[in-house]
Amino acid sequence: MANLGVNIDHVATIRQARRTYEPDPVWAAVLAELGGADCITLHLREDRRHIQDRDLRLLRETVTVKLNLEMACSEEIVAIACQVKPDQATLVPERREEITTEGGLDVVRHRDQVARTIDALRSAGISISLFLDPDDKQLETAAALGADAVELHTGQYALAPPGPHQQQQLDILIKAGKLVRQMGLALHAGHGLTYRNVRPVADIEGMHELNIGHSIVARAVMVGFQQAVREMKLLVS
Ligand code: PXP
């Protein structure tokens, strides 16, 4: 059984569309905990497109399960993380022009920068997860860098149509998961997971944590829409 990390970024995306106070990702985190979330995940991006500094501070005070901060290896964000002290930092690549994180962090290419970031975060008592493509060289470098966990990027699996291509992507994740566990790191996975495609990934041996955002927020809008309209209808009629 994998732990569920609920990524609340897109609750903040809706709020930022109007730069207003609702919906508040802090409320969403409370509801996620009530729903059984084992972990609350958020990404404080350098461009602050969704989660704001205030959200991170309040979530640190209110979340009672594990708080997982996705972040780039940027000096500004590292300084904030060391001050706020989430339980876990998941290091991800970040490009301003991307719609969402598009691939794993290249820890082979950026080894020195990642090592410096890990040192700084670790000295603040924060556990380290690295978001990586299921590639042996990346995974071995993560172990050499002393990461506590690897979050396998499931984007290619999620994009594959059901059938042999999807199975091929799943097999790549299974093989990578085995290597991660053999090296003694905790196994996490995420990106693009949905109600339809999550089960085989949750079933990968040793899977410890799944981080899921967009699909949960999308479903929340749909399952809550009828009641929200009913409440407004009562007010206006
Ligand atoms: N894990 C990581 C490292 C991510 O960057 C994201 C997206 O913020 C997720 C998981 C969640 O992806 P999705 O929103 O597609 O479920």
Side-chain angles (χ1 to χ4, degrees):
M1 268 258 296
N3 287 328
L4 176 62
V6 177
N7 181 313
I8 54 173
D9 291 349
H10 293 317
V11 177
T13 301
I14 298 173
R15 178 191 60 192
Q16 294 311 110
R18 284 292 176 91
R19 305 258 190 287
T20 177
Y21 62 90
E22 66 177 1
D24 192 330
V26 179
W27 287 33
V30 172
L31 295 172
E33 278 198 39
L34 283 171
D38 303 294
C39 170
I40 300 297
T41 295
L42 66 158
H43 186 172
L44 185 68
R45 295 185 75 105
E46 290 182 87
D47 64 10
R48 306 299 199 274
R49 68 174 70 162
H50 38 51
I51 293 293
Q52 305 296 303
D53 299 52
R54 161 266 185 208
D55 303 328
L56 173 62
R57 280 198 311 275
L58 288 177
L59 287 163
R60 176 63 294 178
E61 286 180 27
T62 52
V63 166
T64 64
V65 293
K66 177 175 169 182
L67 186 67
N68 174 35
L69 177 65
E70 291 176 3
M71 52 178 281
C73 295
S74 109
E75 269 180 36
E76 184 214 358
I77 306 293
V78 170
I80 293 170
C82 288
Q83 201 182 23
V84 177
K85 299 190 192 333
D87 301 296
Q88 174 177 283
T90 300
L91 302 184
V92 300
E94 203 175 290
R95 286 192 306 121
R96 273 169 199 264
E97 60 276 25
E98 70 193 357
I99 293 172
T100 180
T101 314
E102 284 170 354
L105 183 63
D106 188 343
V107 290
V108 176
R109 188 161 169 209
H110 303 293
R111 188 174 176 138
D112 293 347
Q113 190 190 18
V114 175
R116 280 196 302 278
T117 303
I118 290 178
D119 275 353
L121 294 170
R122 208 183 271 305
S123 61
I126 301 166
S127 148
I128 311 293
S129 177
L130 301 178
F131 181 58
L132 302 178
D133 289 327
D135 170 273
D136 287 3
K137 210 159 173 220
Q138 297 289 339
L139 305 178
E140 283 157 6
T141 306
L145 283 165
D148 301 289
V150 163
E151 178 172 331
L152 293 177
H153 178 231
T154 50
Q156 292 308 316
Y157 163 78
L159 285 174
H165 187 50
Q166 191 182 52
Q167 184 60 46
Q168 194 187 354
Q169 292 300 324
L170 181 65
D171 291 342
I172 291 172
L173 292 172
I174 292 170
K175 182 171 160 281
K178 200 166 167 193
L179 177 60
V180 169
R181 287 183 302 106
Q182 271 169 359
M183 294 187 302
L185 279 70
L187 177 62
H188 302 174
H191 211 277
L193 296 177
T194 68
Y195 292 80
R196 288 184 203 279
N197 68 18
V198 71
R199 191 70 246 173
V201 178
D203 284 343
I204 293 177
E205 209 180 325
M207 184 56 69
H208 181 65
E209 179 178 301
L210 294 175
N211 283 298
I212 306 178
H214 182 265
S215 192
I216 293 176
V217 175
R219 179 155 303 217
V221 169
M222 285 300 144
V223 300
F225 212 78
Q226 197 175 353
Q227 186 183 335
V229 170
R230 225 183 263 126
E231 289 173 11
M232 186 60 84
K233 175 92 174 165
L234 268 179
L235 279 174
V236 302
S237 51

